[in-house]
Amino acid sequence: MTVFLPTLDGGERLERVLAAVRGQKTAREVRLRAIDSSSKDGTREVLARFGVQLAVIEKRDYDHGLTRNRGVLECETELGALLSQEALPADENWLENLLAPFDDPCVAGTWARQVPQPRCHPFQRINLVAHMAAANRRPVLQPLTLTEWAALTPAERVERLVFDNVSSAVRRSVIERLPFRQSMFGEDIEWARRVLLSGYRRVFAHDAAVEHSHDVNFSEFHTRVALTHAVRRRLADHVPLADLNDVYVRIGQTIEAFRRAAREATDLEPAMREACEREAHRWARLQVAGIFRGARRAQYEEPRLEELAPLAPDVPAASAS
């Protein structure tokens, strides 16, 4: 099997990630492959030291979906693990736990649990915990027909779209039939919808864990939230805040949740916890504004039959078991 990483100026963290991948407890032959977006910091030398097969592209040519397609399709193995360069496998069993569900031929993809890095910003931590909780609620995603999809509420559709290429694994044969779409955000959940409606399962591999979280500034935080909810509207018609009254209520709830998260962040110095608690109102407003504006930035795009690729003839149809 192959582990694929898109890289750009990975620094010391990338070296730790590659060492953890090479240290996995597995009987499989593990190949490493990377596509680097013209790093300037010695990333390519680090990749060479770990025996990573490397291709180099211009930074402007990187795309979340198309670059991952290339990484998978240029491999010779049927199973490929997709790993962000900052996603550090939590233990030596990450890879085997991520791949175990593929014993079922109807499984098209799996994704790993993410745990925050030490000293993660408390407001990023609480959002990551919520993201992982969503995956835990429905660890095996069963296929749906277009009629069944249409009968779901938008919130129920969002639950079916949980998938994350921070640490995932896919079948090469499925990517050949259902490649990731060109996208600078949300290529993983867009793929998840088409896979689900084509007859395949996806599995949340809870026991496969990676340490991964981003600390971002105010602008990046708002932008990421808005992009997330624009994609959810486009794929699931999800509008979580109906009007300004909902916005005001959610702001109040989020301020309290953020303040509590700041107080409970015992791995931070007291002064940092206090600063986070004081800033909770600003972060909460940015998050809720991103939710509200993001969902109104897009229009729902119903899935179409011609976008799908039903199960290959040699794959038995998935059952609800």
Side-chain angles (χ1 to χ4, degrees), residues 267-293:
D267 55 341
L268 299 181
E269 295 83 359
M272 178 63 72
R273 293 202 302 270
E274 292 171 6
C276 288
E277 190 170 358
R278 287 195 302 272
E279 290 283 358
H281 67 285
R282 185 177 180 188
W283 286 89
R285 290 188 175 93
L286 280 171
Q287 174 154 312
V288 177
I291 294 170
F292 186 75
R293 293 170 182 164

Side-chain angles (χ1 to χ4, degrees), residues 68-88:
R68 284 178 170 83
N69 284 341
R70 178 181 170 185
V72 172
L73 295 176
E74 290 183 355
C75 296
E76 297 178 356
T77 60
E78 169 65 355
L79 296 182
L82 306 177
L83 189 65
S84 293
Q85 66 177 11
E86 309 93 355
L88 178 67

Side-chain angles (χ1 to χ4, degrees), residues 149 153-155 157-159 161 185-186 189-190 193 224-243 290-303:
W149 172 265
T153 67
R157 292 172 187 164
V158 168
E159 285 187 5
L161 295 183
F185 193 88
I189 65 171
E190 193 279 336
R193 187 175 81 163
R224 191 169 186 85
V225 171
L227 287 171
T228 296
H229 285 272
V231 170
R232 289 180 179 178
R233 175 67 187 281
R234 181 170 62 84
L235 296 176
D237 204 19
H238 191 237
V239 183
L241 302 172
D243 52 35
I291 294 170
F292 186 75
R293 293 170 182 164
R296 279 156 179 74
R297 184 179 299 171
Q299 295 294 322
Y300 178 51
E301 298 176 4
E302 292 188 12

Side-chain angles (χ1 to χ4, degrees), residues 209-267:
V210 293
E211 182 188 279
H212 177 268
S213 55
H214 288 294
D215 284 339
V216 296
N217 59 34
F218 290 117
S219 175
E220 292 167 337
F221 181 74
H222 173 80
T223 298
R224 191 169 186 85
V225 171
L227 287 171
T228 296
H229 285 272
V231 170
R232 289 180 179 178
R233 175 67 187 281
R234 181 170 62 84
L235 296 176
D237 204 19
H238 191 237
V239 183
L241 302 172
D243 52 35
L244 289 178
N245 183 63
D246 284 351
V247 169
Y248 297 138
V249 171
R250 179 68 69 88
I251 287 174
Q253 293 170 339
T254 306
I255 289 171
E256 289 307 309
F258 280 1
R259 284 175 175 165
R260 183 168 59 253
R263 292 192 295 269
E264 294 174 353
T266 55
D267 55 341

Side-chain angles (χ1 to χ4, degrees), residues 150-216:
L152 296 176
T153 67
E156 289 171 334
R157 292 172 187 164
V158 168
E159 285 187 5
R160 268 66 168 193
L161 295 183
V162 181
F163 190 72
D164 202 318
N165 274 340
V166 161
S167 174
S168 66
V170 297
R171 291 189 191 275
R172 185 183 188 278
S173 56
V174 175
I175 295 297
E176 288 175 340
R177 297 163 62 82
L178 291 162
F180 295 114
R181 292 275 173 80
Q182 182 175 2
S183 175
M184 289 309 293
F185 193 88
E187 85 294 339
D188 39 14
I189 65 171
E190 193 279 336
W191 181 79
R193 187 175 81 163
R194 285 186 291 123
V195 162
L196 200 71
L197 295 171
S198 294
Y200 293 93
R201 293 191 185 97
R202 301 191 322 279
V203 178
F204 175 49
H206 179 276
D207 292 336
V210 293
E211 182 188 279
H212 177 268
S213 55
H214 288 294
D215 284 339
V216 296

